[in-house]
Amino acid sequence: MTAKASDYQPVERNYHSTVRVGDYLYMWGGLQPDLPEVHNNEEKKSMCSVMEVCHLRTGRWEQKPTTGYPPLGVVSYAAAAIGREIFYFGGYCNHDDCYYNSLYSFNVDTFSWKELSPTTSHHGPMMKANCDMIAIKKNGEDYLVVIGGFGPSSNNTPPQPGAQYSGGVHQRCNEIHFYKLSTGQSTYSLY
């Protein structure tokens, strides 16, 4: 059940992001009390299928249901907004060594999720958390840029040429990946 906007305050959490679009803040996921330490189940789906929204002019929070399938990388993911969409990359699942390199979009008008690029261990950025993502425009095209991160060294993508990796079972990296929104193409680059 959704609480009334005037009474509602989000539950405590960490390892999450809050993104501004217009006059609203959108907060999703993170490590919350009672987040199941499983890959996926109904309780976890229910917790991750809501968006916390704060109207900046009034300071009031609301919890709103979403449609579609939200990312499973709910902890330490990266987020950035372009227009009326918020993009979510990677993250940790809150169990075992379950990291992601998927990319999702969330439309703030329809409150719906869409998977743009699924998690794979065969290409793209390494499966990771604790990275960052920014939105840029180059030659009139929108890009998302995923930078750095931390993830398992086993069962992961081939190393990016020129990138640096450090650590043992888990490693940090300085990968830089560009995702061109108009084509869905992911490329890497080091400056």
Side-chain angles (χ1 to χ4, degrees), residues 91-93 95-101 119 121 125-130 149-159 165-173 175:
Y92 172 65
C93 193
H95 85 286
D96 299 330
D97 258 354
C98 192
Y99 290 81
Y100 292 86
N101 63 1
T119 285
S121 62
M126 68 183 273
M127 294 183 285
K128 58 189 170 183
N130 302 109
F150 174 84
S153 56
S154 64
N155 190 29
N156 218 330
T157 60
Y165 301 85
S166 63
V169 175
H170 291 90
Q171 57 190 2
R172 294 181 305 277
C173 73
E175 292 180 342

Coordinates of all heavy atoms in Angstrom, one line a residue, residues 91-93 95-101 119 121 125-130 149-159 165-173 175:
G91 N 25.9 -2.8 -10.8 CA 25.4 -2.9 -9.4 C 25.7 -4.3 -8.9 O 26.1 -5.2 -9.6
Y92 N 25.4 -4.5 -7.6 CA 25.6 -5.7 -6.9 C 24.2 -6.2 -6.5 O 23.4 -5.4 -6.1 CB 26.5 -5.4 -5.7 CG 26.6 -6.6 -4.7 CD1 27.2 -7.8 -5.1 CD2 26.2 -6.5 -3.4 CE1 27.4 -8.8 -4.2 CE2 26.3 -7.5 -2.5 CZ 26.9 -8.7 -2.9 OH 27.0 -9.7 -2.0
C93 N 24.0 -7.5 -6.5 CA 22.7 -8.1 -6.3 C 22.4 -8.3 -4.8 O 21.3 -8.6 -4.4 CB 22.7 -9.4 -7.0 SG 21.0 -10.2 -7.1
H95 N 24.0 -10.7 -2.9 CA 24.2 -12.1 -2.6 C 25.4 -12.6 -3.4 O 25.7 -12.2 -4.5 CB 23.0 -13.0 -2.8 CG 22.9 -13.5 -4.2 ND1 22.5 -12.8 -5.2 CD2 23.1 -14.7 -4.7 CE1 22.4 -13.5 -6.3 NE2 22.8 -14.7 -6.0
D96 N 26.2 -13.5 -2.7 CA 27.4 -14.1 -3.3 C 28.2 -13.1 -4.1 O 28.4 -12.0 -3.6 CB 27.0 -15.3 -4.2 CG 26.3 -16.3 -3.4 OD1 26.5 -16.5 -2.2 OD2 25.4 -17.0 -4.0
D97 N 28.7 -13.4 -5.3 CA 29.5 -12.6 -6.1 C 28.7 -12.2 -7.4 O 29.1 -12.2 -8.5 CB 30.8 -13.3 -6.6 CG 32.0 -12.8 -5.8 OD1 31.9 -11.9 -5.0 OD2 33.1 -13.4 -6.0
C98 N 27.5 -11.7 -7.1 CA 26.5 -11.4 -8.2 C 26.6 -10.0 -8.6 O 26.0 -9.1 -7.9 CB 25.1 -11.8 -7.7 SG 23.9 -11.9 -9.1
Y99 N 27.4 -9.6 -9.6 CA 27.5 -8.3 -10.1 C 27.0 -8.2 -11.5 O 26.8 -9.2 -12.2 CB 29.0 -7.9 -10.2 CG 29.6 -7.7 -8.8 CD1 30.0 -8.8 -8.0 CD2 29.7 -6.4 -8.2 CE1 30.6 -8.6 -6.8 CE2 30.3 -6.2 -7.0 CZ 30.7 -7.3 -6.3 OH 31.3 -7.1 -5.0
Y100 N 26.7 -7.0 -12.0 CA 26.0 -6.8 -13.3 C 26.8 -5.8 -14.2 O 27.5 -5.0 -13.7 CB 24.6 -6.4 -13.1 CG 23.7 -7.4 -12.5 CD1 23.6 -7.5 -11.1 CD2 23.0 -8.3 -13.3 CE1 22.9 -8.5 -10.5 CE2 22.2 -9.3 -12.7 CZ 22.2 -9.4 -11.3 OH 21.4 -10.4 -10.8
N101 N 26.6 -6.0 -15.5 CA 27.0 -4.9 -16.4 C 25.8 -4.6 -17.4 O 26.0 -4.1 -18.5 CB 28.3 -5.3 -17.2 CG 28.1 -6.5 -18.1 OD1 27.0 -7.1 -18.1 ND2 29.2 -6.9 -18.7
T119 N 23.0 -8.1 -18.9 CA 24.3 -8.5 -18.4 C 24.9 -9.7 -19.1 O 24.2 -10.7 -19.5 CB 24.1 -8.9 -16.9 OG1 24.0 -7.7 -16.1 CG2 25.4 -9.6 -16.3
S121 N 28.9 -11.9 -19.6 CA 30.3 -12.0 -19.2 C 31.2 -12.0 -20.4 O 32.4 -12.2 -20.3 CB 30.6 -13.2 -18.4 OG 30.3 -14.4 -19.1
P125 N 31.6 -3.5 -20.6 CA 32.3 -3.3 -19.3 C 32.2 -4.5 -18.4 O 31.4 -5.4 -18.6 CB 31.4 -2.2 -18.7 CG 30.6 -1.6 -19.8 CD 30.4 -2.7 -20.8
M126 N 33.2 -4.6 -17.5 CA 33.2 -5.7 -16.6 C 31.9 -5.7 -15.7 O 31.4 -4.6 -15.6 CB 34.5 -5.7 -15.7 CG 34.6 -4.6 -14.8 SD 36.2 -4.6 -13.8 CE 35.8 -5.7 -12.5
M127 N 31.5 -6.8 -15.2 CA 30.4 -6.8 -14.3 C 30.9 -6.2 -13.0 O 31.9 -6.7 -12.4 CB 29.9 -8.3 -14.1 CG 29.3 -8.8 -15.4 SD 28.6 -10.5 -15.2 CE 30.2 -11.5 -15.1
K128 N 30.2 -5.1 -12.6 CA 30.8 -4.4 -11.5 C 29.8 -3.5 -10.7 O 28.7 -3.3 -11.2 CB 31.9 -3.5 -12.0 CG 31.5 -2.5 -13.1 CD 32.7 -1.8 -13.7 CE 32.4 -1.1 -14.9 NZ 33.6 -0.5 -15.5
A129 N 30.3 -3.0 -9.6 CA 29.5 -2.0 -8.8 C 30.5 -0.9 -8.5 O 31.7 -0.9 -9.0 CB 29.0 -2.6 -7.5
N130 N 30.1 0.1 -7.8 CA 30.9 1.2 -7.3 C 31.6 1.9 -8.5 O 32.7 2.4 -8.4 CB 32.0 0.7 -6.3 CG 31.4 0.1 -5.1 OD1 31.4 -1.1 -5.0 ND2 30.7 0.9 -4.3
G149 N 35.2 1.2 -11.5 CA 34.4 0.2 -10.8 C 35.1 -0.9 -10.1 O 36.4 -0.9 -10.1
F150 N 34.4 -1.8 -9.5 CA 34.9 -2.9 -8.7 C 34.0 -4.1 -8.9 O 32.8 -4.0 -8.8 CB 34.8 -2.4 -7.2 CG 35.2 -3.5 -6.2 CD1 36.5 -3.7 -5.9 CD2 34.2 -4.3 -5.6 CE1 36.9 -4.7 -4.9 CE2 34.6 -5.2 -4.7 CZ 35.9 -5.4 -4.4
G151 N 34.7 -5.2 -9.2 CA 33.9 -6.5 -9.4 C 34.8 -7.7 -9.3 O 36.0 -7.6 -9.1
P152 N 34.2 -8.9 -9.5 CA 35.0 -10.1 -9.5 C 35.9 -10.3 -10.6 O 35.6 -9.9 -11.8 CB 33.9 -11.2 -9.5 CG 32.7 -10.6 -10.2 CD 32.8 -9.1 -9.8
S153 N 37.1 -10.9 -10.4 CA 38.0 -11.1 -11.5 C 37.7 -12.3 -12.3 O 38.1 -12.5 -13.4 CB 39.4 -11.1 -10.9 OG 39.5 -12.2 -10.0
S154 N 36.9 -13.3 -11.7 CA 36.6 -14.5 -12.4 C 35.2 -14.2 -13.1 O 34.4 -13.4 -12.7 CB 36.4 -15.6 -11.4 OG 35.4 -15.4 -10.5
N155 N 35.0 -15.0 -14.1 CA 33.7 -15.0 -14.9 C 33.4 -13.5 -15.3 O 32.3 -13.0 -15.0 CB 32.6 -15.6 -14.0 CG 31.3 -15.7 -14.9 OD1 31.4 -15.9 -16.1 ND2 30.2 -15.7 -14.2
N156 N 34.3 -12.9 -15.9 CA 34.1 -11.5 -16.2 C 34.5 -11.2 -17.7 O 35.1 -12.1 -18.3 CB 34.8 -10.5 -15.3 CG 33.9 -9.3 -15.0 OD1 33.2 -8.9 -15.8 ND2 34.1 -8.7 -13.8
T157 N 34.2 -10.1 -18.2 CA 34.5 -9.7 -19.6 C 36.0 -9.8 -19.8 O 36.8 -9.7 -18.9 CB 34.0 -8.3 -19.9 OG1 34.7 -7.4 -19.0 CG2 32.5 -8.2 -19.7
P158 N 36.4 -9.9 -21.1 CA 37.9 -9.8 -21.4 C 38.3 -8.4 -21.0 O 37.6 -7.4 -21.0 CB 37.9 -10.0 -22.9 CG 36.6 -10.6 -23.3 CD 35.6 -10.2 -22.3
P159 N 39.6 -8.3 -20.5 CA 40.1 -7.0 -20.1 C 40.0 -6.0 -21.3 O 40.2 -6.3 -22.4 CB 41.5 -7.2 -19.8 CG 41.6 -8.7 -19.5 CD 40.6 -9.3 -20.3
Y165 N 43.8 -3.0 -14.1 CA 43.0 -3.7 -13.1 C 43.9 -4.1 -11.9 O 45.1 -4.5 -12.1 CB 42.5 -5.0 -13.8 CG 41.6 -4.8 -15.0 CD1 42.2 -4.6 -16.2 CD2 40.3 -4.7 -14.9 CE1 41.5 -4.3 -17.4 CE2 39.5 -4.4 -16.0 CZ 40.1 -4.3 -17.2 OH 39.3 -4.0 -18.3
S166 N 43.4 -4.0 -10.7 CA 44.2 -4.3 -9.6 C 43.3 -5.1 -8.6 O 42.1 -4.8 -8.5 CB 44.8 -3.1 -8.9 OG 43.8 -2.2 -8.4
G167 N 44.0 -6.0 -7.8 CA 43.3 -6.7 -6.8 C 43.4 -8.2 -7.1 O 44.0 -8.6 -8.1
G168 N 42.8 -9.0 -6.2 CA 42.9 -10.5 -6.4 C 41.5 -11.0 -6.9 O 41.2 -10.9 -8.0
V169 N 40.8 -11.6 -5.9 CA 39.5 -12.2 -6.3 C 38.5 -11.1 -6.8 O 37.7 -11.3 -7.7 CB 38.9 -12.9 -5.1 CG1 37.5 -13.4 -5.3 CG2 39.8 -14.1 -4.7
H170 N 38.6 -9.9 -6.2 CA 37.9 -8.7 -6.7 C 38.9 -7.7 -7.1 O 40.0 -7.6 -6.6 CB 37.0 -8.2 -5.6 CG 35.9 -9.1 -5.2 ND1 36.0 -10.0 -4.2 CD2 34.6 -9.2 -5.7 CE1 34.9 -10.7 -4.1 NE2 34.0 -10.2 -5.0
Q171 N 38.5 -7.0 -8.1 CA 39.4 -6.0 -8.7 C 38.8 -4.6 -9.0 O 37.6 -4.6 -9.3 CB 40.1 -6.6 -10.0 CG 39.1 -6.9 -11.0 CD 39.7 -7.7 -12.2 OE1 40.9 -8.0 -12.2 NE2 38.9 -8.0 -13.2
R172 N 39.6 -3.6 -8.9 CA 39.2 -2.3 -9.3 C 39.7 -2.1 -10.7 O 40.7 -2.7 -11.2 CB 39.9 -1.2 -8.4 CG 39.4 -1.3 -6.9 CD 40.1 -0.2 -6.1 NE 41.5 -0.2 -6.1 CZ 42.3 -1.1 -5.4 NH1 41.7 -1.9 -4.6 NH2 43.6 -1.0 -5.5
C173 N 39.1 -1.2 -11.4 CA 39.5 -0.9 -12.8 C 39.3 0.6 -13.1 O 38.7 1.3 -12.4 CB 38.7 -1.8 -13.8 SG 37.0 -1.2 -14.0
E175 N 38.4 1.3 -16.4 CA 37.7 1.2 -17.7 C 36.8 2.4 -18.0 O 36.3 3.0 -17.0 CB 36.7 0.0 -17.7 CG 37.4 -1.3 -17.7 CD 36.3 -2.5 -17.8 OE1 35.1 -2.2 -17.5 OE2 36.7 -3.6 -18.0

